[in-house]
Amino acid sequence: MERLAAAGVPVGVLVAPVIPALTDDELEAILGRVAAAGARAAGYVLLRLPREVRTLFTDWLEAHYPARARHVLSLLRQAHGGPCYDAAFGHRQRGAGPYAEVLARRFALAARRAGIDPERRIPLSSEHFRVPPRSGDQLGLFA
């Protein structure tokens, strides 16, 4: 990240997944470190538990963090209106309600304190794109 930023490449990060009552306490430290490494944009995604992932995660959570499992799942349900997951676009990434609002405010404040604009989007450009001369030559971009 530091090398990309030093080379003039716009750097942004996505903090994901944010797990309530398990990893959310790391937001401030993560944003501070990525800002120091050159990130100028940041976003986050609340833990998503679609379909069978919910069962896998719940089993893992109960095995590794049994004292926190009920609280973690309760916060996820609060953020998704009852179930642990809501597939609606826009809602599935951030949730809604008091916990989700506090998380969003906390993230924005931590980002600003770190010198990152939480609303900034890095503009994408295709001006340097070139069609590879032959099929399969695209991997040469990484040489």
Side-chain angles (χ1 to χ4, degrees):
M1 189 181 307
E2 289 173 339
R3 289 174 54 197
L4 289 170
V9 175
V11 178
V13 298
L14 182 62
V15 181
V18 175
I19 304 172
L22 196 58
T23 65
D24 60 351
D25 64 333
E26 300 174 14
L27 284 177
E28 291 80 4
I30 291 170
L31 291 169
R33 291 187 70 182
V34 299
R40 295 295 164 251
Y44 73 95
V45 175
L46 184 61
L47 177 66
R48 297 176 55 214
L49 296 176
R51 299 181 182 86
E52 61 278 349
V53 176
R54 181 181 54 81
T55 304
L56 291 170
F57 177 77
T58 301
D59 291 348
W60 175 86
L61 186 62
E62 289 172 351
H64 296 280
Y65 297 94
R68 295 187 190 183
R70 286 184 58 207
H71 187 53
V72 170
L73 296 173
S74 172
L75 290 172
L76 282 172
R77 284 186 193 97
Q78 290 174 43
H80 292 296
C84 284
Y85 179 65
D86 179 353
F89 183 77
H91 192 259
R92 64 181 172 231
Q93 295 92 338
R94 302 283 172 90
Y99 174 76
E101 290 170 14
V102 167
L103 183 63
R105 285 195 302 264
R106 228 179 100 206
F107 184 86
L109 179 62
R112 283 190 202 94
R113 283 184 176 160
I116 296 173
D117 179 355
E119 302 300 321
R120 180 175 182 205
R121 300 292 178 254
I122 296 173
L124 300 177
S125 169
S126 60
E127 72 176 280
H128 298 293
F129 174 78
R130 302 292 178 267
V131 175
R134 295 174 307 203
S135 177
D137 282 353
Q138 193 168 7
L139 292 177
L141 295 171
F142 300 104

